[in-house]
Amino acid sequence: MMELLCPHLVTSGGRDGFSEAAVRPAAEEKSSDVIGAARRCFTVSRGWSLEQSTTPDKVIREPWSRRLPMTRTGWAWGRAPPGAPRLLAALLLLLALLGLAAAQGGQSGQNICPAAADIQPCGCTVKKNGLDILCETTETQHINKAMDALKRRGNAVIFYLKLRHNTLPKLLQFVFLGLDIRHLTIHNSSLAVVEESSLSSVGKKLTQLDLSQNILTMVPSKALGTLHHLLILNLNHNKISAIHNNAFIGLDTLEILTLYENKIDVVDANAFEGLGKKLKRLNLGGNGLRQVPQKALATLEVLRKLEMQENELTEIREGDFEGLRNLDTLNLQHNRLNTVPAKVFSHLKLLNSLELENNQIRFVDPEAFSGLEENLQYLRLGDNKLNDIPSDALRRLHRLRHLDLRVNNITFIPDDAFSGFGDSITFLNLQKNAILVLPGLAFENLNSLETLNMQNNKLEHVSEEVMEPIIDTVTHFDLSDNPLICTCDLSWYHTWYRRAVGMVDEPAAHKRKTMCYLNSEHREYNLLALPLEKMQCVRKNLGPTSAALQVYETRAVNTVFVVMIITCVLLAFF
């Protein structure tokens, strides 16, 4: 077709400097090449030539009559007949558009859903990256029928194949042969057996595999070993009891492995062999582990997040996390730990977040957080049995920003509780403890504090003196559910609240009313509506804080006094 519409570009080489490969037949060109060919032909048909040089796209104006001799037809090598250039340009433009449409149509045509009747009761929708196939509440024979229909589609990309809530006790060999699947989910389908070759045909393209909420009793290692491009493997909510040596061999590219809520109580020393170079997240939570599987974990040198929550751990020891030098997050919540021993985390130099809540921790060794000085920012010790703030252990954490001590047995905050590490803390949760009194310097070192939760303690008084170090920085403050007594000492609250409203959209006080009890009237008042006149309080017309204003006034008086003295001296001198 190109030869017929643009013969003056298709030559045997020589006279015009172009070879026969200069323009390919349109049927063999990509859409972009077709458009380019159309432009070249349009240029030439108007009496322009393409200069063969180091810049082949350069166009120079030169009539063809000067370069090519006329022939008898006046068509092949000379000027085109009158009106031909426009006709040729129109035809070539049409050809280019048809070629582009054909190319796009051919590509999208591969991702057309089969007829609904062919894959029932499964459903199919076309997504940007391929087909999305969903088969729910059906049986093996219907799934096989749908797979056969999809195989007849040729090279269709199945971006999501989701088999959920089915009766599929066994995944047969080569069941997906001939299919290009990228994400495969077999969820809650009574799957108990995954045959060795059932996944081998999709090993080159599959990146995510979800086999969660089935009845697998062991890791299907042989079937998984062919998935050399897998990034995410989800085996949550099965009945796997042990992870044996080389269980995941062959999964060289795996980055996320989740085994949450199984029955795992044994992890062999080489269980994660082959995963050390790529695995970034491992979830072993919700199992029956009684100790940290140190030897198995030590090989995971690039692991960033380790989740071991909801196990049966009763102790952690120094060296348990040796080898995990890139770990960023460690989750040990909901275990049975009662102490945090010295140097137990000393190998985790890059640890940023440590979660120890919902254990039975009574004692934190002063050296417990040794090694975490430079990077730890989030520490959660809530829902334990601590009787006091473990200040000696916390002092080394000079980058700590988030400290959660909620639901413990803390009754008192010493004056120096936060000295040495309080400057960096922005979030402090002391909710649901048994704190009775706040001494005057309790918050002295919390210069960056933004959120303070004291909800549900046993506080009767919170004076302005106590709040002075933090009142200018705190924007979220919860004092609710304390047995506060309405006194003039609480008049600062209204001033703080007005400032907080101006700094944040919805401070904590908006969400929960903070009440106090006025003994003289035997009734409760919202702290924002204290009857200060009835209480015979002198309302302080302060800026951010009374102390700040007093300092300001003192400095102003001193400045004026100094200026007056200097003026008098100068007048006397002159």
Side-chain angles (χ1 to χ4, degrees):
M1 180 65 72
M2 186 66 74
E3 295 170 346
L4 293 176
L5 293 176
C6 197
H8 49 281
L9 285 185
V10 183
T11 77
S12 58
R15 291 202 240 183
D16 63 21
F18 284 89
S19 66
E20 188 165 349
V23 178
R24 292 176 292 178
E28 298 178 3
E29 291 192 290
K30 297 180 181 178
S31 58
S32 59
D33 297 331
V34 173
I35 295 174
R39 289 174 177 168
R40 291 196 298 272
C41 186
F42 176 72
T43 301
V44 173
S45 67
R46 295 188 63 187
W48 296 57
S49 67
L50 299 177
E51 183 181 54
Q52 185 182 21
S53 66
T54 55
T55 56
D57 291 333
K58 182 180 178 183
V59 179
I60 60 173
R61 179 128 197 171
E62 183 178 0
W64 277 93
S65 58
R66 294 183 186 177
R67 302 196 51 172
L68 299 176
M70 294 288 291
T71 65
R72 293 182 180 179
T73 62
W75 170 259
W77 304 108
R79 290 185 180 276
R86 294 182 180 178
L87 177 60
L88 286 174
L91 289 173
L92 261 295
L93 182 59
L94 177 62
L95 178 63
L97 293 174
L98 289 173
L100 180 61
Q104 292 177 342
Q107 185 177 4
S108 61
Q110 297 174 0
N111 294 329
I112 297 176
C113 287
D118 292 342
I119 61 172
Q120 284 183 346
C122 300
C124 174
T125 55
V126 179
K127 301 289 186 181
K128 179 180 179 181
N129 296 316
L131 302 182
D132 186 342
I133 309 295
L134 174 61
C135 300
E136 289 187 307
T137 60
T138 188
E139 298 181 351
T140 303
Q141 61 268 29
H142 298 300
I143 294 173
N144 291 339
K145 174 188 171 184
M147 296 304 104
D148 291 339
L150 290 167
K151 291 172 185 177
R152 292 194 292 270
R153 300 305 304 169
N155 295 324
V157 174
I158 303 174
F159 201 70
Y160 294 105
L161 176 55
K162 295 174 281 193
L163 311 178
R164 302 188 304 209
H165 315 297
N166 298 296
T167 303
L168 186 63
K170 180 184 292 188
L171 199 61
L172 299 175
Q173 296 191 39
F174 307 111
V175 64
F176 302 121
L177 183 64
L179 297 177
D180 181 357
I181 304 172
R182 308 299 171 85
H183 302 78
L184 174 59
T185 296
I186 305 175
H187 171 80
N188 191 25
S189 294
S190 303
L191 183 66
V193 177
V194 180
E195 293 192 347
E196 182 175 347
S197 300
S198 58
L199 299 171
S200 58
S201 60
V202 295
K204 293 183 179 180
K205 298 289 182 68
L206 194 69
T207 60
Q208 295 186 24
L209 177 59
D210 182 352
L211 299 178
S212 62
Q213 205 161 325
N214 285 290
I215 52 175
L216 296 171
T217 58
M218 59 185 298
V219 177
S221 303
K222 292 183 178 179
L224 297 175
T226 61
L227 305 179
H228 300 302
H229 295 273
L230 198 67
L231 300 175
I232 300 175
L233 175 58
N234 182 353
L235 294 170
N236 293 347
H237 300 281
N238 276 281
K239 299 183 182 300
I240 299 170
S241 59
I243 306 178
H244 296 300
N245 290 330
N246 303 316
F248 304 100
I249 204 74
L251 300 181
D252 308 319
T253 59
L254 197 66
E255 295 184 0
I256 299 175
L257 173 59
T258 63
L259 289 151
Y260 180 72
E261 282 284 355
N262 277 274
K263 300 181 180 298
I264 300 168
D265 55 13
V266 174
V267 179
D268 289 345
N270 295 314
F272 303 121
E273 186 70 26
L275 303 183
K277 300 297 183 182
K278 291 288 185 178
L279 196 68
K280 294 180 174 64
R281 178 179 174 183
L282 174 61
N283 190 340
L284 291 170
N287 284 286
L289 295 173
R290 292 180 174 82
Q291 60 184 10
V292 176
Q294 188 273 327
K295 291 183 178 179
L297 295 175
T299 63
L300 303 177
E301 57 188 61
V302 300
L303 195 69
R304 299 281 293 165
K305 185 172 185 177
L306 175 59
E307 296 164 285
M308 295 186 65
Q309 74 280 10
E310 300 170 43
N311 275 280
E312 303 293 330
L313 300 176
T314 57
E315 65 173 346
I316 48 177
R317 297 168 295 183
E318 182 180 357
D320 274 353
F321 305 103
E322 185 176 358
L324 301 177
R325 58 178 178 271
N326 286 298
L327 201 66
D328 174 84
T329 300
L330 176 59
N331 187 345
L332 296 171
Q333 62 178 316
H334 288 278
N335 277 282
R336 298 182 180 180
L337 304 175
N338 51 54
T339 62
V340 184
K343 300 182 180 180
V344 66
F345 307 114
S346 59
H347 299 91
L348 306 179
K349 304 294 185 182
L350 300 181
L351 197 68
N352 177 265
S353 177
L354 176 58
E355 301 180 22
L356 292 166
E357 61 258 72
N358 288 100
N359 278 279
Q360 301 172 18
I361 298 172
R362 298 176 182 273
F363 175 71
V364 179
D365 191 278
E367 298 291 320
F369 304 125
S370 176
L372 306 182
E373 294 88 348
E374 296 302 320
N375 288 292
L376 193 71
Q377 295 188 53
Y378 299 90
L379 177 59
R380 297 172 177 87
L381 282 164
D383 283 283
N384 280 289
K385 299 184 182 299
L386 295 172
N387 293 317
D388 49 37
I389 297 173
S391 301
D392 291 339
L394 297 173
R395 290 196 208 288
R396 66 181 65 247
L397 303 177
H398 52 262
R399 295 196 63 193
L400 192 66
R401 298 181 65 244
H402 181 117
L403 177 59
D404 191 343
L405 292 166
R406 61 186 169 84
V407 197
N408 276 282
N409 299 321
I410 299 170
T411 58
F412 182 70
I413 301 178
D415 284 340
D416 63 345
F418 303 105
S419 65
F421 69 98
D423 285 349
S424 60
I425 293 179
T426 61
F427 177 97
L428 176 60
N429 192 349
L430 290 165
Q431 173 188 18
K432 294 185 179 179
N433 276 278
I435 300 171
L436 294 165
V437 178
L438 293 176
L441 300 179
F443 303 131
E444 178 68 21
N445 297 284
L446 299 173
N447 303 321
S448 302
L449 195 65
E450 297 174 1
T451 299
L452 174 60
N453 192 339
M454 299 290 299
Q455 185 257 340
N456 202 353
N457 276 276
K458 297 183 179 181
L459 294 170
E460 294 185 353
H461 303 279
V462 180
S463 68
E464 184 176 358
E465 178 190 7
V466 172
M467 299 302 299
E468 179 186 331
I470 62 173
I471 199 168
D472 292 335
T473 61
V474 169
T475 57
H476 295 77
F477 184 26
D478 193 347
L479 260 178
S480 60
D481 300 321
N482 278 282
L484 295 171
I485 297 175
C486 297
T487 65
C488 297
D489 283 342
L490 290 172
S491 60
W492 62 266
Y493 188 88
H494 189 274
T495 303
W496 166 79
Y497 179 82
R498 284 189 304 168
R499 185 190 60 81
V501 169
M503 295 180 64
V504 294
D505 293 333
E506 192 172 6
H510 282 182
K511 301 178 181 179
R512 190 191 302 272
K513 291 182 179 180
T514 303
M515 310 296 291
C516 65
Y517 188 78
L518 186 59
N519 289 322
S520 62
E521 296 185 7
H522 304 290
R523 57 162 291 187
E524 287 187 329
Y525 277 95
N526 188 327
L527 260 60
L528 296 175
L530 280 178
L532 297 178
E533 293 183 1
K534 287 185 180 181
M535 296 164 59
Q536 297 182 344
C537 297
V538 178
R539 186 71 174 270
K540 297 179 182 179
N541 184 19
L542 302 176
T545 66
S546 61
L549 184 57
Q550 290 168 1
V551 170
Y552 174 79
E553 289 175 345
T554 301
R555 288 177 179 175
V557 170
N558 291 339
T559 301
V560 172
F561 184 68
V562 170
V563 170
M564 290 176 64
I565 292 175
I566 293 173
T567 303
C568 291
V569 171
L570 291 173
L571 289 173
F573 181 78
F574 289 106

